[in-house]
Amino acid sequence: MKFEHYWEDICRIHLLTKHYLLLAEEMSTGGEMFLQPLKEHRDAYDHIIRVYAAKNGINKPEQREQYMRSNMSKAIGHEYRAFFDTADWLSLICRDKINRMLEGKRAEDIERRYSGYKELRIFLLDLPGQIAEQRERKDVGSDLLEEVDRYVDILDRLIQYCRELSLAMEVTG
């Protein structure tokens, strides 16, 4: 049995999750850790160990090929859950940071400091719907790699807005 197609997805999702998990930890105000993605990684690892234990004759399940395919599929499922949990957490951290930067400030003052404020406002108003759409799609059984890519685009935009706003608000006082 060849596992290349499983491994490509697992590696891609795992590396994206790690990237955004590290960003979230750095951006969180108290340096908090979110344990759920780490639990999902542990569970994915457990399924992978089962596969290689069967492959190497350490474990001898009935219907070995089906058992191995099933466990690789479950490993991918855990990697996806780790990514989506991380993405949700990071989006909350970014939105919280943005809201704290804008709290108590008038729109005119913000616009004077940050020229992209109107675009940011529209993005933030649309964001809950975009994230809800991502959550809905991942449950429908669509191509989850496409959903991951869409969420990556959302996260990257959100992180960029957070960074730009932070710089604008600090520079002009």
Side-chain angles (χ1 to χ4, degrees):
M1 167 170 211
K2 294 186 178 186
F3 293 114
E4 285 78 18
H5 70 283
Y6 289 107
W7 277 118
E8 287 177 27
D9 291 353
I10 287 172
C11 290
R12 183 165 172 241
I13 301 306
H14 186 89
L15 292 173
L16 283 169
T17 303
K18 182 178 178 181
H19 170 74
Y20 290 112
L21 190 57
L22 291 171
L23 277 174
E25 288 172 0
E26 290 298 320
M27 293 178 78
S28 67
T29 55
E32 297 97 8
M33 263 181 88
F34 185 37
L35 295 179
Q36 187 59 33
L38 302 176
K39 181 206 172 293
E40 295 296 342
H41 283 160
R42 183 201 69 197
D43 292 345
Y45 179 70
D46 183 63
H47 285 289
I48 292 166
I49 293 299
R50 292 176 194 186
V51 168
Y52 282 91
K55 182 179 180 184
N56 294 316
I58 298 166
N59 182 11
K60 297 178 179 156
E62 293 180 25
Q63 300 177 338
R64 183 177 150 234
E65 294 297 315
Q66 192 277 331
Y67 175 84
M68 292 166 62
R69 261 192 310 277
S70 173
N71 274 282
M72 285 301 278
S73 179
K74 290 175 183 177
I76 290 171
H78 286 292
E79 288 290 340
Y80 279 121
R81 281 189 288 285
F83 172 80
F84 285 107
D85 289 346
T86 298
D88 290 346
W89 183 49
L90 178 56
S91 74
L92 290 171
I93 289 170
C94 289
R95 287 184 278 173
D96 182 60
K97 285 181 89 66
I98 290 169
N99 287 333
R100 281 189 281 115
M101 283 187 270
L102 299 178
E103 190 174 0
K105 295 180 178 60
R106 296 179 333 162
E108 303 82 42
D109 295 334
I110 299 166
E111 287 174 358
R112 187 174 37 79
R113 294 178 183 182
Y114 179 55
S115 61
Y117 176 63
K118 286 182 183 177
E119 185 181 311
L120 168 63
R121 232 173 95 207
I122 292 167
F123 178 77
L124 290 175
L125 289 172
D126 291 341
L127 190 59
Q130 290 179 33
I131 291 173
E133 190 176 317
Q134 296 308 309
R135 289 178 175 169
E136 289 169 2
R137 282 192 190 144
K138 77 173 183 173
D139 291 336
V140 174
S142 61
D143 181 1
L144 288 176
L145 283 175
E146 286 181 24
E147 300 313 315
V148 167
D149 289 340
R150 284 189 190 107
Y151 214 150
V152 163
D153 291 341
I154 291 169
L155 288 175
D156 288 346
R157 272 186 79 193
L158 185 57
I159 291 164
Q160 185 62 33
Y161 278 129
C162 192
R163 183 181 181 281
E164 289 172 0
L165 181 64
S166 180
L167 289 171
M169 300 307 271
E170 287 178 11
V171 170
T172 58

